[in-house]
Amino acid sequence: MTSILIKGGRVIDPASGRDETGDVWIVGGKIAKSGRKAARTIDARGKWVVPGLIDIHVHFREPGEEAKETIADGCAAAVAGGFTSVATMANTGQVVDTAMAVRYVRDRAAEAGLARIFPLGAVTKGLKGEELAEMGLMAKAGAAGFSDDGRPIMNSEVMRRALEYAAMFRKPVVSHCEDAHLTKGAAMNEGPVATELGLRGWPAVAESAMAARDAMLAKWTGGHVHIAHVSAKETVEVIRAAKKSGARVTAEAAPHHLTLDDQRLRGYDPRFKMNPPLRTAEDVEAVVAALADGTIDCIASDHAPHGTEEKEQEFAACPNGVVGLETTVGVVLTDLVAAGKLTARRAIEAMTSAPARILGLALGSLVQGSAADVTIIDPARKWKVDPSKFRSRGRCTPWEGRSLTGAAVATIVGGLVVYES
Ligand SMILES: [Zn+2]
């Protein structure tokens, strides 16, 4: 394995508190303190050199819906966006609810040889919310945690058992918080805009009430619940209180919930349709403040590719979800960091050491001896979002045509340069 010297960049490693201009050495696939002779030197002056980015919420569609996205496509999109590790959700065409399915996902990722994949196994068989899946066997096969994401676990007894069981393997249960009785037929956030547009609303309380239940169950069982894609101000309040009470609760927010509100729905544009839906400007502000102060631990894209035809159906009928792996860095740097809402260090922490800690991964740092997963970001690179250039098969993004500043320019996984631009 060759040695690489990344020279003269702004090294930001929140896990160790390092933020200075300096060099990073990679020797034998690991971060080294220094080296003798580099086989390759990368000039990083003016760039940020950070731990390989980690996204703990992505939907690749394999096994079962390979036309939407294969694991190889998803991994290519990940490294193009600067992500060296991703956690995949279990709600694929064939649900990942067995040890065999977990191994299949890991094998396909190894074949692709780009990003590291940490599969989340389903909590319940077939995502039906009724009977626990074989969580122990999946954990043994390498599942990083468990989630029925895409669907809520409505049965509190099932959630209780899931938290207890997952805790035995020190894994989190990632909760898609949605009281399904409150969201039947909903197409967007419940509120004045939905009324005006004549669309059925998804009230914020359907999220916050379930987050409160899950936080209380986590406290009671000693389990770890991770709240996916926080969208509402009230959910932030629930998480803040839960953390204060000592419950093992962590949370993530997606770039779209951190930057866009429900006014965008006025054009009935499916590029703004996701679950949970875009909320009000006040919610966006609360979610951003919670990310800045650590109440929300990390950023996760909820990358969710769909076929173009499917996504172009009538608004009420079209599926939820947008792609995100290739736009997260640009959106976070442009709309949060450059806008003064988030420091560079906190933004990088929210995409490296924080997600690593949630899933218990020995990644997300540049300290000596760590796996050499490194992302080089040019904070000044200007580019325009053109979905036809995505590595992902998904083309639907709320940022289509948007000019952004900041992009990953090199992605290194285990000491190998897997992406450069
Ligand atoms: Zn979800």
Side-chain angles (χ1 to χ4, degrees):
M1 219 171 246
T2 55
S3 56
I4 302 175
L5 167 60
I6 305 167
K7 211 172 160 39
R10 176 181 173 190
V11 181
I12 308 175
D13 182 27
S16 67
R18 184 176 177 197
D19 185 352
E20 60 183 9
T21 301
D23 301 339
V24 170
W25 275 91
I26 295 172
V27 179
K30 296 218 178 320
I31 302 292
K33 192 148 194 199
S34 58
R36 283 213 175 140
K37 194 163 171 283
R40 181 168 176 202
T41 300
I42 299 174
D43 180 1
R45 282 174 300 174
K47 316 275 199 308
W48 296 354
V49 180
V50 306
L53 306 180
I54 301 170
D55 186 338
I56 59 170
H57 190 146
V58 303
H59 298 268
F60 295 167
R61 303 303 190 183
E62 185 178 1
E65 289 183 300
E66 286 78 1
K68 284 187 177 186
E69 189 96 302
T70 63
I71 287 167
D73 296 329
C75 289
V79 297
F83 289 88
T84 55
S85 293
V86 296
T88 49
M89 288 298 171
N91 69 338
T92 33
Q94 286 161 262
V95 175
V96 178
D97 59 0
T98 61
M100 201 170 81
V102 168
R103 276 194 293 270
Y104 176 85
V105 172
R106 296 185 70 200
D107 289 349
R108 295 307 310 261
E111 269 170 46
L114 294 167
R116 299 179 201 270
I117 284 197
F118 297 92
L120 299 179
V123 174
T124 64
K125 289 183 182 167
L127 304 177
K128 292 198 173 83
E130 293 159 6
E131 199 185 334
L132 289 185
E134 47 187 53
M135 293 164 73
L137 294 175
M138 285 193 282
K140 245 187 219 159
F146 302 95
S147 185
D148 276 6
D149 183 63
R151 294 195 194 168
I153 295 171
M154 289 299 296
N155 184 324
S156 305
E157 165 67 4
V158 171
M159 191 59 163
R160 170 202 178 165
R161 298 294 173 203
L163 284 164
E164 286 172 346
Y165 206 32
M168 289 166 53
F169 312 104
R170 297 164 180 253
K171 308 279 184 202
V173 174
V174 178
S175 180
H176 169 116
C177 293
E178 171 181 356
D179 185 324
H181 300 296
L182 286 167
T183 62
K184 274 201 187 104
M188 66 172 291
N189 180 42
E190 181 169 311
V193 183
T195 308
E196 212 179 297
L197 297 179
L199 291 169
R200 194 174 293 200
W202 194 135
V205 71
E207 175 181 277
S208 57
M210 288 299 266
R213 180 203 71 172
D214 290 347
M216 295 197 135
L217 286 173
K219 175 126 199 246
W220 185 46
T221 59
H224 172 190
V225 71
H226 175 73
I227 311 289
H229 43 50
V230 173
S231 69
K233 186 179 62 168
E234 295 82 355
T235 310
V236 165
E237 286 159 13
V238 164
I239 295 164
R240 198 168 276 142
K243 284 188 164 186
K244 204 178 254 177
S245 81
R248 291 188 68 203
V249 177
T250 53
E252 71 191 31
H256 44 266
H257 293 127
L258 289 159
T259 59
L260 305 169
D261 65 44
D262 66 355
Q263 297 291 339
R264 305 276 177 155
L265 276 301
R266 291 188 180 281
Y268 297 93
D269 186 336
R271 287 175 301 188
F272 297 98
K273 188 176 180 191
M274 52 281 281
N275 186 20
L278 299 179
R279 306 262 181 217
T280 67
E282 207 184 323
D283 291 297
V284 174
E285 202 181 308
V287 174
V288 171
L291 177 66
D293 73 19
T295 301
I296 292 176
D297 302 79
C298 74
I299 297 168
S301 71
D302 198 1
H303 176 86
H306 288 287
T308 306
E309 274 174 31
E310 223 186 336
K311 204 57 192 173
E312 277 170 358
Q313 295 173 77
E314 184 213 346
F315 187 83
C318 88
N320 289 302
V322 296
V323 291
L325 279 166
E326 292 166 84
T327 48
T328 293
V329 166
V331 170
V332 168
L333 265 64
T334 305
D335 290 341
L336 298 177
V337 178
K341 296 173 182 172
L342 206 62
T343 62
R345 179 171 161 172
R346 175 67 190 129
I348 297 304
E349 181 181 53
M351 295 188 282
T352 58
S353 53
R357 179 173 38 80
I358 291 164
L359 290 188
L361 311 176
L363 293 170
S365 168
L366 294 175
V367 294
Q368 191 183 348
S370 313
D373 290 7
V374 182
T375 301
I376 304 177
I377 292 171
D378 182 350
R381 167 86 57 100
K382 292 191 192 310
W383 61 288
K384 198 168 182 179
V385 179
D386 175 359
S388 71
K389 296 202 174 122
F390 284 165
R391 270 76 172 173
S392 170
R393 289 194 195 194
R395 295 285 179 261
C396 183
T397 164
W399 294 288
E400 181 168 355
R402 177 81 201 280
S403 293
L404 297 172
T405 305
V409 294
T411 307
I412 300 172
V413 178
L416 295 174
V417 180
V418 292
Y419 172 80
E420 268 182 288
S421 90

